[in-house]
Amino acid sequence: MPKKARDGNDTWGLLDYLYGPGKRDEHVNPRMVASWDDPYVEDPARSPHMTIADLALILDAPVYALLGKKPPKHVYHVAVRNAPEDRVLTDEEWAEVAREMMHASGVSEHGDDQGCRWVAVRHADDHIHIVATRARQDGRQPNLRQDIVKMHAAARRFEERFGLRRLTHGDRTARRWSKTGEAEKAARRGLPETAREALQRAVREAAAAATGEADFFARLGAAGIRVQQRIAPDGNVTGYSVALPGDRDGRQTPVWFSGSRLAPDLSLPRVRERWQGAAPVSAATPAEAWRVAEAKVRAAAEQLGAGGLHQGAGDVAALGDLVVVAAVVSPHLVRNQIRQAAHEFERASRAPAARSLEGQARELYRESSQLLSRSAAAAGRSDAAAALGFLLALVTAVEASRRWHEAQEHRAQAHAAGRAGRLLREAVEVTAGAAAAREHRPRRRTAKARTATGQRLAAAAGERPMAGVVQQAVPAHARAVLADPAWPALRTNLTELERAGEDPVEVLATVAARRELTSAESVAEVLSWRLDGWRRQRGATAAAGTNPPAAPADGTGSAGPARSTRASAPTRQASGSEQRKGPGRAR
């Protein structure tokens, strides 16, 4: 992913920063991986005969030698970065990337010994910085026309060749990323996201749930967003801008973002498309809202893209709004996962094609969005059990959108839908685990749970072999689980459960029986997600002060508060064999 920085005029200052520790000590082992004259240009980090000042002077020499007017900003700076999930490239691979980027940009073409001088510096695993001077060694100016476009084309070839995440360039569906200054401002203020990101999310939620233009602007105001409407001389609203309260620039004026600067589908004309032809939907009770929405989403998944390319583009756009609304009204235990899914699916909701607003799937998705957003009780209750069926339907719909994008060869959109689908599947399993924890009643234990000395059969917390727990709780899947790469995470979850006083065998068997496991790509991962939901529900219950019923004191189930009523004393004394041992025999 090449990104061109603004031109500058301080070569030494830029090199000093690249070779230095960074603003927050994030630079690790800075070193040169390539230059215009390999291998004869020495690296200041490895050679005692070259300093950063010397390297800057050598790079700038053609600029100072120009006979005519020198360019006011002669420093050319490009950063080339990999996606976080990509493998780490070697220095040799990055060197090849740097040489190809300089050739594609026109800075220094292959075989041209009179091209501009440049160096590539690496101080992290996932990116390099290329610094060049905008003056050829023969005294002419380089031809940099369409340089960033050509570098992106070269990047696509490297992605395929090196087996990296493949992006799509030029379809105008990518999100508007925050600029460096915006990220630095958020970091100074201790904010988790930039103003642009916060506004993107707030405006998208308002647009997805709104039933009309007045409702859209009212929702923005209710969310605490400052809004400016652009009004034409005839009185019609032609656009809008938004700002966060307190977000000001150096002149102390609000920082405004138009809808189109936030995302391609947040301009006012695109926002208005959302409620064109939508029939009004009445509010419903929480359980009814989830059930009706589930039925509509399942029906829409079967119709998605059935009418062709343009209809499919409208369908996935409406599905994107539904995922956004689902994140707002979803149960608290899985709200973060669904918000992340909505964030990932954003690219998938923008197909590089004209949209048809007449598709049947689009209408069903819009009706579901309206139903859930207007049923305020559904948002307040956050009923995980009632929402589970809807979330399962949403997974089906997102998977249908992924297949449709693949059929249309929308590679970036298909990948985005796949990432969103994984997050939604996790939310489904966490919800299933939470529901199992809420409805579970520990089994009553017998005296056989203790040995002749009165000790519990279970080993000390964390010492029980969890492989045996799996074989006892899910014998049909034990072999696959123990060979799964996700087994260490599941083992950690089981250990934490035992340390919390729960019986891992009983809990694992309970969550495994909650939903079928045969269709899971990774049974261990699915079980780990369900145990995560179980633990979250237990934590929420404990925080609310409503502890679940405790297992009897002679068992290995969940420990509960000790009861001090008189009625319990005879029951405790009935186990005479245990009393005869006396306290001195206990360990």
Side-chain angles (χ1 to χ4, degrees):
M1 292 179 282
K3 182 178 180 181
K4 183 179 175 183
R6 288 179 293 183
D7 293 337
N9 55 15
D10 185 3
T11 306
W12 180 87
L14 177 56
L15 289 175
D16 186 63
Y17 167 74
L18 297 179
Y19 275 100
K23 294 182 179 180
R24 291 173 292 276
D25 298 325
E26 70 273 21
H27 295 176
V28 179
N29 187 22
R31 59 201 182 276
M32 184 190 302
V33 296
S35 72
W36 81 95
D37 194 18
D38 287 331
Y40 301 107
V41 179
E42 296 181 279
D43 183 1
R46 298 172 177 172
S47 172
H49 307 296
M50 177 71 75
T51 66
I52 295 175
D54 292 337
L55 180 60
L57 186 62
I58 295 172
L59 285 170
D60 286 342
V63 179
Y64 297 134
L66 290 175
L67 298 178
K69 184 178 180 180
K70 298 176 177 59
K73 299 198 177 206
H74 64 275
V75 180
Y76 186 89
H77 179 199
V78 175
V80 188
R81 186 179 301 272
N82 272 358
E85 63 268 25
D86 284 342
R87 68 177 178 86
V88 177
L89 301 184
T90 65
D91 283 358
E92 291 74 19
E93 288 172 324
W94 276 121
E96 186 178 357
V97 170
R99 286 189 285 268
E100 191 62 33
M101 292 297 165
M102 291 295 92
H103 168 75
S105 65
V107 170
S108 180
E109 297 181 354
H110 297 323
D112 183 4
D113 58 358
Q114 296 298 311
C116 300
R117 296 183 176 183
W118 60 272
V119 294
V121 179
R122 182 182 189 182
H123 53 214
D125 286 339
D126 63 346
H127 70 279
I128 59 171
H129 292 264
I130 307 176
V131 182
T133 48
R134 297 170 61 99
R136 290 172 52 84
Q137 298 179 74
D138 56 9
R140 295 186 292 115
Q141 292 291 325
N143 180 12
L144 303 179
R145 191 170 184 272
Q146 296 289 309
D147 53 348
I148 192 65
V149 174
K150 295 174 182 176
M151 282 190 284
H152 271 285
R156 303 294 82 79
R157 294 192 293 270
F158 277 114
E159 288 165 359
E160 183 176 5
R161 177 181 166 189
F162 290 163
L164 308 176
R165 175 180 170 185
R166 299 179 63 185
L167 304 180
T168 299
H169 172 62
D171 65 2
R172 300 182 182 274
T173 62
R175 68 167 52 240
R176 305 288 190 257
W177 297 100
S178 298
K179 297 181 179 179
T180 303
E182 297 169 4
E184 292 175 348
K185 180 193 287 188
R188 288 195 304 269
R189 295 182 174 183
L191 300 176
E193 58 186 355
T194 66
R196 184 191 297 265
E197 292 168 338
L199 290 170
Q200 278 179 345
R201 188 185 66 257
V203 173
R204 188 171 300 282
E205 290 177 357
T211 57
E213 190 166 315
D215 187 26
F216 170 62
F217 288 119
R219 287 176 182 270
L220 289 178
I225 305 298
R226 301 184 64 179
V227 182
Q228 277 186 345
Q229 298 181 12
R230 291 196 303 275
I231 302 177
D234 59 2
N236 292 323
V237 179
T238 60
Y240 72 98
S241 297
V242 290
L244 283 181
D247 184 30
R248 298 179 178 273
D249 58 16
R251 295 171 295 181
Q252 295 302 305
T253 58
V255 180
W256 294 97
F257 293 87
S258 65
S260 58
R261 283 184 60 197
L262 295 177
D265 56 342
L266 293 182
S267 64
L268 187 57
R270 293 290 302 273
V271 170
R272 283 170 172 162
E273 289 180 355
R274 287 168 162 83
W275 51 77
Q276 289 181 11
V281 179
S282 59
T285 63
E288 290 175 349
W290 291 119
R291 285 196 298 268
V292 174
E294 176 187 353
K296 290 180 179 292
V297 171
R298 290 191 183 280
E302 298 177 358
Q303 298 293 326
L304 192 148
L309 175 61
H310 300 317
Q311 190 179 101
D315 294 344
V316 295
L319 176 57
D321 284 343
L322 177 58
V323 180
V324 170
V325 171
V328 175
V329 303
S330 59
H332 290 283
L333 290 177
V334 293
R335 191 162 294 176
N336 285 337
Q337 277 101 338
I338 301 180
R339 280 180 173 168
Q340 293 173 21
H343 178 81
E344 292 291 349
F345 193 78
E346 180 187 330
R347 182 74 182 272
S349 68
R350 293 191 290 266
R355 293 159 304 285
S356 169
L357 307 180
E358 306 298 330
Q360 183 177 359
R362 175 188 180 274
E363 182 179 349
L364 291 170
Y365 288 142
R366 286 296 300 162
E367 289 176 358
S368 301
S369 299
Q370 301 273 322
L371 179 64
L372 292 179
S373 62
R374 295 192 61 181
S375 300
R381 182 178 176 184
S382 296
D383 190 338
L388 182 57
F390 168 78
L391 292 178
L392 284 166
L394 200 58
V395 170
T396 302
V398 170
E399 177 61 20
S401 73
R402 184 190 64 81
R403 292 194 300 268
W404 180 81
H405 278 304
E406 286 182 343
Q408 307 301 323
E409 297 185 356
H410 300 158
R411 190 168 57 246
Q413 286 79 2
H415 289 168
R419 294 191 298 273
R422 174 179 170 79
L423 288 165
L424 287 173
R425 286 192 293 273
E426 179 182 354
V428 165
E429 302 302 345
V430 170
T431 302
R438 187 170 53 253
E439 299 171 7
H440 177 66
R441 296 295 179 268
R443 294 195 303 267
R444 191 173 186 85
R445 302 294 177 182
T446 65
K448 293 181 180 179
R450 293 180 178 271
T451 64
T453 61
Q455 290 179 295
R456 291 177 57 177
L457 285 175
E463 295 180 3
R464 180 190 295 197
M466 292 302 161
V469 170
V470 173
Q471 291 168 347
Q472 186 176 350
V474 285
H477 301 282
R479 178 175 296 182
V481 167
L482 297 177
D484 197 302
W487 160 238
L490 176 60
R491 181 176 55 203
T492 300
N493 260 330
L494 291 170
T495 302
E496 292 297 326
L497 276 172
E498 189 177 44
R499 287 174 180 169
E502 305 222 38
D503 182 359
V505 175
E506 182 178 352
V507 174
L508 186 60
T510 301
V511 298
R514 190 70 187 183
R515 292 185 62 245
E516 58 85 21
L517 293 168
T518 54
S519 62
E521 295 180 1
S522 170
V523 176
E525 188 174 50
V526 167
L527 290 174
S528 185
W529 287 338
R530 292 183 192 177
L531 291 181
D532 188 25
W534 178 287
R535 293 170 58 195
R536 291 188 200 181
Q537 180 62 38
R538 288 294 204 223
T541 302
T546 56
N547 292 325
D554 59 349
T556 58
S558 301
R563 295 192 297 176
S564 59
T565 62
R566 291 186 178 182
S568 64
T571 304
R572 189 75 185 109
Q573 294 172 0
S575 55
S577 61
E578 185 176 340
Q579 286 192 355
R580 286 193 296 271
K581 294 180 178 62
R585 298 291 300 275
R587 294 183 182 177

